[in-house]
Structures are given as structure tokens and as C-alpha cells.
Amino acid sequence: MTDGTALAGPDGALRCPWALSTEDYVAYHDEEWGRPVHGDDALYERLSLEAFQSGLSWITILRRREGFRAAFAGFEIAKVATFTDADRDRLLVDEGIIRNRAKIDATLANARVLADWAPGDLDELIWSHAPSTPGPAPKALGDVPAITPESTALSKALKKRGLRFVGPTTAYALMQACGLVDDHLATCVARRS
């Protein structure tokens, strides 16, 4: 049992406790989570994966990420925007991904919406919602919010522009994963600031 504070990992370094259950999590935590992500396709991928994660464990998504990338043409917005009903049917039976009709439909619809945006618009919109000043470093997992005013505003902005499956909790998970906020615990080896 943990009190939510950082724990020693396999190498003895302190890490956020959620990162220590599997080697996959350790690598994701240390090398990716909370690191800045830019580029429309890269952000579309993260937004889509966060939507697929809703109601599931992140490890489920992480372990299927290559399957998702194969199924969704590397999350290239221009390619996914051209997917047909036959592609949708293929996705609904693809065992390499989460076969949730609503999440698949949202991922396809979002690509069609984003295909009409100017290059860089998604990146600019998402990053415009990064907090202007970083909050205090969380000392324990209980200090990490599920939503913030910024994630609520990001969710509203994305929905206003026609995107789906982007509630405030999903938007905050995106902000965490893509480095808009640094929610690594204060004593975590991966904390940037």
C-alpha cells in the first residue's frame, strides 16, 4: 500500500507510483509522459488514444498502441479523414485496438474535422491552453487534479470546433501526456522543473 508519494523504481530512483507496475509503464513514464509533444498528427494521435482510454486502464492502450497506429494509418490526419465505411467496419473487428463503436466513430469524425484546419491549428489550439505559470509540484498522487480550468476551456474549445470525445478529463489527460503540465511528483526522477 502506498500513500501516493514517489516510490523507488527498479534502479532505485524515485518515480510516480503509477509508473512502477510494469516495465511498459516505467519506460512510458520516464521517456514520454509529460514531455512536450507538438505537431498536428502527433497531437491527434494522443487525443485519440486518450479518448480510447476513457473508462479503461492506460496500460491497455499503451500495449495496443502499435495496433492503433497500424489500424489508423499512423494517425496521419489526412489519411484517416479519407477512411470509408469499409474502413470503419474493419476497425470494428480489429483485435489490435479497442473495438468501441463510439470511440472509433469519434476518431474518424475528428480526423475529418481536422483535415479542414490549417496546418498547425491543432497544435496552436491545444498549446494555447497550457497554464501560463506552472502550478506547484504535486507531492502525492492525491495532489494531482482530474480536471482544471484550463482543461475545461480546452475541452470547450475543441468541441466548439467540432471535435468529439474530448471532455475536460480527457483534455487534462492529454495536457499531462503532452507536457502542457508537469504532474510528475516533486521527488520524481522524471520531473522537469
Side-chain angles (χ1 to χ4, degrees), residues 44 47 105-115 162-166:
Y44 167 65
L47 184 63
D105 288 346
T107 302
L108 299 179
N110 288 347
R112 291 181 192 110
V113 168
L114 292 170
L163 297 182
R164 296 167 34 190
F165 237 99
V166 290

Side-chain angles (χ1 to χ4, degrees), residues 22-100:
T22 71
E23 289 181 24
D24 295 337
Y25 264 160
V26 173
Y28 176 70
H29 169 272
D30 288 3
E31 300 165 16
E32 189 172 348
W33 191 75
R35 303 287 187 264
V37 174
H38 287 282
D40 292 344
D41 289 340
L43 288 166
Y44 167 65
E45 174 184 2
R46 300 318 191 288
L47 184 63
S48 299
L49 293 177
E50 292 297 343
F52 272 101
Q53 186 272 328
S54 181
L56 301 171
S57 166
W58 178 248
I59 196 69
T60 302
I61 304 304
L62 189 59
R63 288 182 173 159
R64 293 182 184 202
R65 185 157 54 173
E66 291 310 314
F68 277 107
R69 287 175 173 163
F72 287 99
F75 288 98
E76 291 182 44
I77 295 167
K79 289 182 180 177
V80 179
T82 66
F83 277 23
T84 64
D85 287 343
D87 290 305
R88 180 181 178 269
D89 292 342
R90 170 185 55 82
L91 293 167
L92 287 169
V93 297
D94 187 332
E95 293 182 7
I97 66 170
I98 304 302
R99 295 168 288 174
N100 178 294

